[in-house]
């Protein structure tokens, strides 16, 4: 076993034994099979991703030190836990997630054998896991769970929606998160209304010219 993997596994188990207050631990865990998935899982490239949803829209912060939480009440953490190359790390992460204070996990993987989301869901059960197929060819692998082994999944590449779904789960216990989700949705609603009014009032040619 490599030192870095062994150290991470030990760290996860040590954190699980600390029994820290919920307000000081990450609320959401984001795991991916490879750092090549980072653009889709976090920033989304041309499509906005989970990081954008959590930080820009919902006011979450990324927690990088388990023992020193950011000032923001709601936080998320990120790890690479390959189901095929580091199954021991994936297992340790899923096994310790609930004891470490996580309330929901977002798991993304690419390729035809995108096993990280479903394996994480099986091990972390009953903690809810939201799967993100990084590519179109990953969809069948991510959603193909048997009866009795639940895994919620979003469409390929849509980690932004996975973050919103995770926030919805948190909102059942945290009114502040619910309020942030409502505010975000109201912003979308107002945006559609503003565009509709401008399109109608200006006419199609002028609207299209201004948008180019």
């Amino acid at each position: 076993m490599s030192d870095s993997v062994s150290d991470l596994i030990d760290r996860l188990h040590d954190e699980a034994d600390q029994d820290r207050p919920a307000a000081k631990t990450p609320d959401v865990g984001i795991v991916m099979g490879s750092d090549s998935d980072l653009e889709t899982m976090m920033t989304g490239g041309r499509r906005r991703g989970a990081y954008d949803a959590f930080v820009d829209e919902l006011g979450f912060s990324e927690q990088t030190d388990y023992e020193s939480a950011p000032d923001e009440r709601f936080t998320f953490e990120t790890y690479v836990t390959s189901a095929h190359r580091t199954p021991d790390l994936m297992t340790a992460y899923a096994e310790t997630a609930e004891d470490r204070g996580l309330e929901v996990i977002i798991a993304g993987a690419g390729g035809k054998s995108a096993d990280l989301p479903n394996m994480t869901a099986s091990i972390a059960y009953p903690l809810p896991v939201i799967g993100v197929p990084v590519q179109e060819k990953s969809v069948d692998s991510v959603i193909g769970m048997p009866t009795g082994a639940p895994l919620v999944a979003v469409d390929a590449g849509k980690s932004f929606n996975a973050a919103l779904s995770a926030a919805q789960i948190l909102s059942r216990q945290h009114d502040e998160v619910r309020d942030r989700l409502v505010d975000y949705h109201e912003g979308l609603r107002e945006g559609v209304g503003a565009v509709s009014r401008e399109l109608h009032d200006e006419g199609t040619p002028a609207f299209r010219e201004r948008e180019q």
Side-chain angles (χ1 to χ4, degrees):
M1 181 185 297
S2 68
D3 287 342
S4 57
V5 171
S6 180
D7 288 346
L8 283 172
I9 291 173
D10 289 343
R11 177 195 295 181
L12 291 169
H13 285 290
D14 287 344
E15 291 172 356
D17 291 337
Q18 290 184 26
D19 193 27
R20 293 178 62 81
K24 299 297 183 181
T25 62
D27 301 285
V28 182
I30 301 176
V31 292
M32 61 203 81
S34 169
D35 61 351
S36 64
D37 301 330
L38 185 62
E39 184 175 11
T40 297
M41 288 298 297
M42 298 303 296
T43 63
R46 287 178 291 180
R47 174 189 289 158
R48 302 180 76 200
Y51 186 94
D52 304 306
F54 280 132
V55 175
D56 296 341
E57 303 297 345
L58 300 176
F60 282 51
S61 180
E62 185 173 11
Q63 185 165 344
T64 59
D65 185 342
Y66 187 80
E67 298 180 7
S68 180
D71 292 335
E72 288 79 5
R73 166 59 184 87
F74 299 102
T75 61
F76 63 94
E77 65 177 12
T78 54
Y79 277 94
V80 173
T81 60
S82 171
H84 302 130
R85 291 168 293 160
T86 58
D88 46 353
L89 178 57
M90 175 199 68
T91 299
Y93 187 87
E95 285 180 341
T96 61
E98 191 166 16
D99 287 338
R100 294 176 61 247
L102 297 179
E103 296 190 46
V104 56
I105 296 173
I106 298 172
K112 290 186 177 180
S113 298
D115 296 323
L116 177 64
N118 40 43
M119 291 300 298
T120 298
S122 295
I123 299 167
Y125 184 88
L127 201 69
V129 175
I130 303 168
V132 181
V134 171
Q135 303 154 336
E136 290 287 347
K137 62 183 177 182
S138 312
V139 172
D140 288 346
S141 180
V142 171
I143 67 174
M145 293 288 276
T147 300
L151 171 66
V152 175
V154 297
D155 198 4
K158 294 185 178 177
S159 66
F160 189 100
N161 281 354
L164 293 180
S165 294
Q168 286 179 310
I169 292 172
L170 295 175
S171 74
R172 308 319 301 160
Q173 294 185 9
H174 303 286
D175 289 341
E176 186 177 349
V177 176
R178 183 185 184 280
D179 292 342
R180 296 180 190 183
L181 283 168
V182 171
D183 288 344
Y184 168 72
H185 189 265
E186 283 300 310
L188 294 180
R189 181 176 181 275
E190 286 301 313
V192 172
V195 168
S196 180
R197 181 175 57 200
E198 291 167 5
L199 173 60
H200 176 270
D201 293 352
E202 296 176 14
T204 300
F207 180 84
R208 291 183 63 184
E209 182 177 354
R210 180 168 57 81
E211 290 295 304
Q212 292 176 350

